[in-house]
Amino acid sequence: MRLLAALLFLLLGLSSCGGMPAKTQPPQEGGLTPLYAARPEGVYKGGALLPLYGLNWFGLETCDRAPHGLWSGRSVAELLAQVKGYGFNALRLPVAPEVLRDQGQVASWARTGDPAYPQSPLAGLRYVLGKAQGLGFHVLLDLHTFRCDLIGGNLPGKPFDPAQGYTKQDWLEDLKRLARLSLEFPNVFGIDLSNEPYHLTWAEWKALAQEGAQAVLSVNPRVLVAVEGVGNASDNGGYPAFWGGNLKEAQDDLGLGDRLLYLPHVYGPSVHPMPYFSDPGFPENLPAVWDTHFGHLSARSLPWGIGEFGGKYQGQDQVWQDRFVRYLRQKGVRVWFYWALNPNSGDTGGILEDDWKTPVWPKIRLLQSLMAAPSGQAFDFLPAEGEVVNPERGFAADSYYPDEPSLDAAAKLAEARAKGFEVRLIRRTYYLHAFAGQDSLPQSFLDTLAQDLQSAQGAGVKLILRFAYRPDENRQGSPTYCDPPKERILAHLAQIGPVLRAHLGVIAYLEAGLIGPWGEWHSASPEAALMDPLPGYNEGDQPPCGRQNYDRKLPNAKTLEIVQALLQEVPGRKVAVRYPMAKAKLLELAEGGSPGTYPSPSAFSPLVPLEAHGNTLKARLGAHNDCFLASENDYGTYYYDPGPQQELEKEYWSQDSRFTVMGGETCTPSPYVPAGENDPAAYVYRQFQRFRFNNLNLNYHPGFLSWLAGQRFGPDTLLQALKRDLGYRLYLRRVEVDRIHLSPGQSLTLRLYLENQGFGGMYNPKGLELVFVREGDGLEVARPLGSGFHGPPPGEEAVYTYTAEAPSGPGTYALWLRIYDPDLPDDPRYSVRLASRLEYRDGRNHLALYVHVR
């Protein structure tokens, strides 16, 4: 590795050396681990040719034990995303045994630009491999030296040295460690056995390479083995070779078949003035030198590429690099790794300037001439792991007025975080029993409501609102609570409405509430008659305001009028009702259906795509289940008796919730699980998935939450799975642009391949914006892509195509996608983070693509 400008001159030559963890599974034929193969045309993956346009990124082989550059304030993902945009798709990562054995400390600067970078050396390597995998890089792991202080001109020149405390067995064990990493990270396509073994003859190195290859392949037979050349201890054909560049005596595949990939190193005048650089025929004399050292492998049908090449790209070195790139094109070489991404390589520099940000365009354009030249570009992302915290989804905190006279939203978030929950929703229920006998609400309450909404916005959360007049059931010896008359409720709503509309952006949705104990639409007061008894239900004599008349729960004309008034006060927001029967009956009544009857089967007709997200009663009524998984009928949520009607109502809610909202809580210490279900955790997960839950109260029932936390499910617990999957989870699988070279103002077509991997949908519309961020000065140019975006329904995929105009100013621009809340467009806390392994910053998702405006 080249950290200093000077190199040591030696008799035999000089150094040209470039100087989330998953459970390891054995490779399985036909499994997810890709089968790599090396053939004369290049590297193949799964039978398809895989060109590898690579960069060396050093640092992990040094005693810093971390990739260099993080001290600049940039993260691993940010650096990789930038160079990915230039067309590079592969990395060669030099490492030392100290990292593989998790010895020593990672340099503290590693967390300057990447606070998530682990403090463990091995975890740090895994972190880099995970980020590389997420950004679509294939990786060659290079066992660069056997001690982290033996780098640059001090490279040992052989894979081991017992005199220095590192034996052949140590080397073989470290190769196996690298091979095990290639099982964890299938983007690792090869293991570079030893860096620049210049002290060895070819015969010595060949025997050791065969032994090292067997150590690697005994662990992972599906990975490639990279073998470098030697130095000048063997026949070099009369041309002094750079360390690792002499493969003159290589004549066969070492018995490794398509596991072998030869990867020599070669440099130009900025590294050392070889005699043939002064030849009068320079640079046209060079192909003969390169053919002698490694180019002859093509005639032998042996696969080869270049493990290191590079230089300052100035003066004679620029002439050398231009000629070498032309040579590689003529040879059809599709596997190469440039030295280096790093600018801190003293004798070569890198493809970035010393600020680790500004591109060195002359070098990049040279290397792009070695790449396929697509008119457009695409990037495939891996899915994110764990919960992706986003607005309007997940576990919800709970708050009640007047028990909590005012809402301290920030305190609610802190309380939830202390319990291990990152919440972006608070369900705030207002019990208005003190005002049930008043025709108007006091101004003090309206002020409290406004302050609560402001508190929510200050904390960056949204509220699920419910207004109710009865904080409990009427029981013998307890206070009696009554439903107010319809007219009073409508008057109260008319007062509440302006306050809600003034803060509409922080309202996720409303629960219908207003009628019955807790606003749950049962046990309605007979006097107000806001609901009818279910057909056949004889509630008998009731005390004032009713008591245990649970089945007075059938919506009537008064119910419909109240719901329509509530919807009118919150334009664009959904209102969730307590029972599938209730929504069906409201729709039936709105169409002129008969009152007092159970909804007909045809009324249980779920939304279809053409009806979704409109301003109709059907599109705006959602659902909440406050006794989820309590019993076979969820304590009366569905038709009481098992059979076709109960199943009809369940399926109705399941399908309707594709395009609405479903939330609620549990009300029993543990879930109802039917007899014969052998895996209760899997059954409960399927029910959340079936009914497309967007959110769940994290405070009730506490016993149920404890049960979730105690159930193993997949690699973790059922509670963790629900944290991950409640609500929407938008995975950007692939992004495409139709061109990367644009004129100012030219149109660009963008395609987004999105999958909703969550339980629920995006029930409130979002806006989309493509942001061009210019490299160098950070100029931002935002182009709107559209409004009314809801993404795919849960469990479904869709492709979205947009057109945007390129910026007017020339430059190279990174592409970022912003999915924002149209009611709060300038607050990134309400923007949506995609569930892909990508960089997310300031409410924007980095698409890992760059375009050039000229």
Side-chain angles (χ1 to χ4, degrees):
M1 149 167 215
R2 215 164 277 98
L3 298 176
L4 301 173
L7 291 173
L8 295 178
F9 288 84
L10 299 175
L11 178 64
L12 297 177
L14 73 162
S15 168
S16 67
C17 144
M20 314 180 184
K23 184 178 179 181
T24 302
Q25 299 288 345
Q28 296 178 0
E29 199 67 38
L32 294 177
T33 305
L35 173 63
Y36 296 101
R39 297 172 188 154
E41 314 87 64
V43 170
Y44 284 76
K45 177 182 179 181
L49 187 63
L50 175 66
L52 293 168
Y53 310 138
L55 294 169
N56 285 273
W57 187 8
F58 61 79
L60 282 160
E61 84 286 14
T62 74
C63 293
D64 294 323
R65 297 173 175 84
H68 284 181
L70 303 184
W71 58 66
S72 68
R74 307 194 76 194
S75 68
V76 171
E78 188 177 4
L79 285 162
L80 290 180
Q82 178 178 352
V83 300
K84 181 73 176 184
Y86 303 143
F88 298 100
N89 69 343
L91 292 175
R92 181 172 177 263
L93 291 178
V95 298
E98 289 89 340
V99 168
L100 299 177
R101 299 177 182 199
D102 211 20
Q103 297 170 343
Q105 298 295 317
V106 172
S108 59
W109 49 252
R111 288 175 289 282
T112 300
D114 202 334
Y117 197 91
Q119 298 186 34
S120 147
L122 182 57
L125 173 57
R126 285 190 166 105
Y127 181 78
V128 175
L129 290 175
K131 294 294 184 184
Q133 181 171 263
L135 286 165
F137 281 90
H138 292 86
V139 177
L140 176 68
L141 289 174
D142 156 42
L143 191 52
H144 201 74
T145 178
F146 55 69
R147 208 172 70 203
C148 68
D149 60 335
L150 299 178
I151 57 174
N154 295 318
L155 276 168
K158 49 190 172 183
F160 56 87
D161 186 352
Q164 299 195 65
Y166 190 79
T167 67
K168 181 167 78 169
Q169 190 59 37
D170 292 330
W171 173 57
L172 296 176
E173 288 301 318
D174 283 336
L175 289 177
K176 291 179 180 179
R177 290 184 174 96
L178 289 171
R180 283 192 285 273
L181 285 170
S182 74
L183 289 173
E184 288 186 36
F185 298 94
N187 58 318
V188 175
F189 74 91
I191 308 299
D192 197 334
L193 297 179
S194 182
N195 184 67
E196 299 180 349
Y198 63 89
H199 268 312
L200 303 179
T201 66
W202 174 249
E204 292 170 329
W205 173 227
K206 176 180 177 179
L208 288 174
Q210 289 171 318
E211 194 169 352
Q214 292 308 318
V216 169
L217 299 176
S218 69
V219 175
N220 185 1
R222 300 167 71 91
V223 75
L224 300 184
V225 173
V227 174
E228 300 179 23
V230 292
N232 296 296
S234 284
D235 180 10
N236 58 23
Y239 301 115
F242 284 92
W243 288 355
N246 184 3
L247 285 167
K248 181 180 183 298
E249 296 180 2
Q251 298 181 12
D252 57 34
D253 64 7
L254 310 186
L256 300 175
D258 63 6
R259 302 296 87 206
L260 170 69
L261 177 65
Y262 283 115
L263 282 181
H265 295 183
V266 64
Y267 285 92
S270 76
V271 171
H272 181 65
M274 290 293 194
Y276 37 81
F277 296 154
S278 302
D279 188 279
F282 178 87
E284 294 307 316
N285 64 317
L286 295 177
V289 177
W290 297 326
D291 280 343
T292 300
H293 288 162
F294 45 78
H296 66 91
L297 297 170
S298 295
R300 302 180 189 277
S301 296
L302 293 172
W304 66 280
I306 299 295
E308 291 183 16
F309 75 105
K312 291 287 191 180
Y313 203 59
Q314 298 169 357
Q316 191 184 31
D317 187 80
Q318 180 175 349
V319 176
W320 180 89
Q321 288 198 54
D322 288 344
R323 187 62 187 91
F324 186 61
V325 164
R326 182 152 59 93
Y327 175 80
L328 294 180
R329 284 202 303 268
Q330 291 168 342
K331 288 287 188 179
V333 173
R334 296 182 177 88
V335 180
W336 49 264
F337 295 87
Y338 192 76
W339 190 276
L341 182 152
N342 307 52
N344 60 321
S345 177
D347 49 3
T348 67
I351 67 156
L352 299 177
E353 299 285 6
D354 289 342
D355 62 1
W356 286 85
K357 184 174 183 181
T358 304
V360 181
W361 279 115
K363 289 186 178 184
I364 292 171
R365 292 192 183 100
L366 173 70
L367 296 172
Q368 287 174 336
S369 71
L370 276 173
M371 304 175 188
S375 58
Q377 198 171 50
F379 192 85
D380 295 300
F381 293 93
L382 288 174
E385 297 178 350
E387 181 181 14
V388 178
V389 178
N390 265 317
E392 303 176 337
R393 61 152 300 276
F395 279 91
D398 217 2
S399 176
Y400 298 90
Y401 172 93
D403 293 349
E404 297 175 53
S406 62
L407 174 65
D408 186 343
K412 286 289 181 185
L413 264 65
E415 179 185 337
R417 187 172 294 119
K419 298 177 181 178
F421 294 86
E422 289 293 333
V423 303
R424 293 297 179 268
L425 282 171
I426 299 175
R427 186 170 75 167
R428 176 74 161 155
T429 301
Y430 294 89
Y431 288 124
L432 308 179
H433 49 286
F435 316 127
Q438 302 176 19
D439 288 336
S440 62
L441 296 169
Q443 186 61 42
S444 59
F445 170 75
L446 299 176
D447 292 342
T448 294
L449 177 59
Q451 291 166 9
D452 290 352
L453 293 162
Q454 291 166 1
S455 175
Q457 185 169 351
V461 299
K462 292 210 174 190
L463 299 183
I464 303 167
L465 296 177
R466 184 194 295 187
F467 300 93
Y469 293 93
R470 299 168 62 182
D472 203 346
E473 293 181 319
N474 293 335
R475 299 183 177 91
Q476 188 72 37
S478 298
T480 296
Y481 301 103
C482 304
D483 294 332
K486 177 197 71 174
E487 292 74 18
R488 186 168 296 149
I489 293 175
L490 296 178
H492 289 176
L493 289 179
Q495 289 182 272
I496 290 170
V499 180
L500 300 183
R501 291 193 295 277
H503 304 278
L504 195 63
V506 295
I507 300 174
Y509 64 95
L510 288 86
E511 295 174 343
L514 298 170
I515 303 171
W518 309 294
E520 288 196 25
W521 283 32
H522 66 75
S523 304
S525 300
E527 295 86 347
L530 301 179
M531 306 192 100
D532 291 338
L534 288 176
Y537 169 60
N538 181 8
E539 64 185 2
D541 293 333
Q542 290 285 323
C545 300
R547 188 177 296 155
Q548 294 182 335
N549 54 335
Y550 297 113
D551 285 349
R552 184 176 277 271
K553 60 192 291 187
L554 182 69
N556 58 26
K558 292 181 180 181
T559 323
L560 177 62
E561 190 174 352
I562 291 169
V563 168
Q564 289 173 326
L566 184 58
L567 288 167
Q568 186 175 347
E569 298 298 346
V570 284
R573 288 297 180 265
K574 289 179 169 56
V575 170
V577 298
R578 180 65 182 83
Y579 313 104
M581 171 274 296
K583 177 171 180 175
K585 189 61 186 177
L586 288 169
L587 295 177
E588 194 173 67
L589 290 170
E591 294 296 322
S594 300
T597 61
Y598 206 81
S600 66
S602 62
F604 294 92
S605 176
L607 285 160
V608 297
L610 288 177
E611 299 173 308
H613 308 305
N615 195 34
T616 64
L617 182 65
K618 185 175 184 179
R620 293 185 63 194
L621 289 183
H624 69 101
N625 184 344
D626 288 356
C627 269
F628 187 56
L629 292 175
S631 68
E632 192 170 33
N633 58 41
D634 285 354
Y635 286 0
T637 298
Y638 308 107
Y639 194 79
Y640 287 120
D641 300 326
Q645 182 62 40
Q646 187 184 100
E647 182 56 32
L648 173 68
E649 295 184 13
K650 289 181 178 180
E651 189 61 16
Y652 170 58
W653 248 9
S654 169
Q655 296 304 315
D656 202 57
S657 295
R658 291 175 66 214
F659 304 111
T660 60
V661 63
M662 170 68 80
E665 64 187 17
T666 58
C667 68
T668 54
S670 60
Y672 163 78
V673 178
E677 285 288 345
N678 296 322
D679 189 341
Y683 172 80
V684 168
Y685 180 88
R686 290 197 305 271
Q687 301 316 299
F688 277 100
Q689 186 177 47
R690 178 184 183 185
F691 293 103
R692 309 176 200 274
F693 262 73
N694 293 94
N695 62 82
L696 188 70
N697 185 354
L698 67 83
N699 293 321
Y700 202 73
H701 189 286
F704 197 111
L705 271 290
S706 296
W707 185 89
L708 292 173
Q711 295 294 310
R712 298 300 303 175
F713 186 78
D716 210 310
T717 66
L718 184 52
L719 180 63
Q720 294 301 318
L722 295 188
K723 287 182 181 181
R724 181 191 66 214
D725 294 339
L726 282 171
Y728 62 87
R729 183 181 175 88
L730 293 187
Y731 165 41
L732 177 62
R733 183 182 303 281
R734 179 180 176 87
V735 59
E736 296 174 350
V737 292
D738 67 334
R739 51 177 56 90
I740 58 174
H741 298 285
L742 297 155
S743 302
Q746 186 177 5
S747 290
L748 170 77
T749 298
L750 172 76
R751 287 188 180 84
L752 306 172
Y753 295 75
L754 285 166
E755 177 188 357
N756 187 350
Q757 297 181 330
F759 293 155
M762 189 175 284
Y763 49 88
N764 285 326
K766 307 300 175 190
L768 264 66
E769 189 175 71
L770 182 65
V771 184
F772 296 80
V773 180
R774 188 160 64 186
E775 292 294 294
D777 61 3
L779 174 71
E780 297 181 2
V781 180
R783 302 296 193 208
L785 299 179
S787 58
F789 175 77
H790 289 272
E796 300 182 29
E797 298 185 50
V799 180
Y800 299 85
T801 302
Y802 302 97
T803 301
E805 185 180 287
S808 58
T812 297
Y813 292 84
L815 300 184
W816 297 74
L817 180 69
R818 189 167 78 103
I819 307 174
Y820 63 91
D821 190 317
D823 294 308
L824 299 162
D826 300 323
D827 193 333
R829 296 174 301 174
Y830 294 98
S831 293
V832 174
R833 181 174 190 165
L834 294 169
S836 305
R837 296 190 197 176
L838 47 69
E839 194 80 0
Y840 182 78
R841 185 187 306 156
D842 300 327
R844 301 169 183 168
N845 300 273
H846 196 325
L847 298 180
L849 295 179
Y850 289 74
V851 296
H852 313 288
V853 178
R854 297 288 182 269

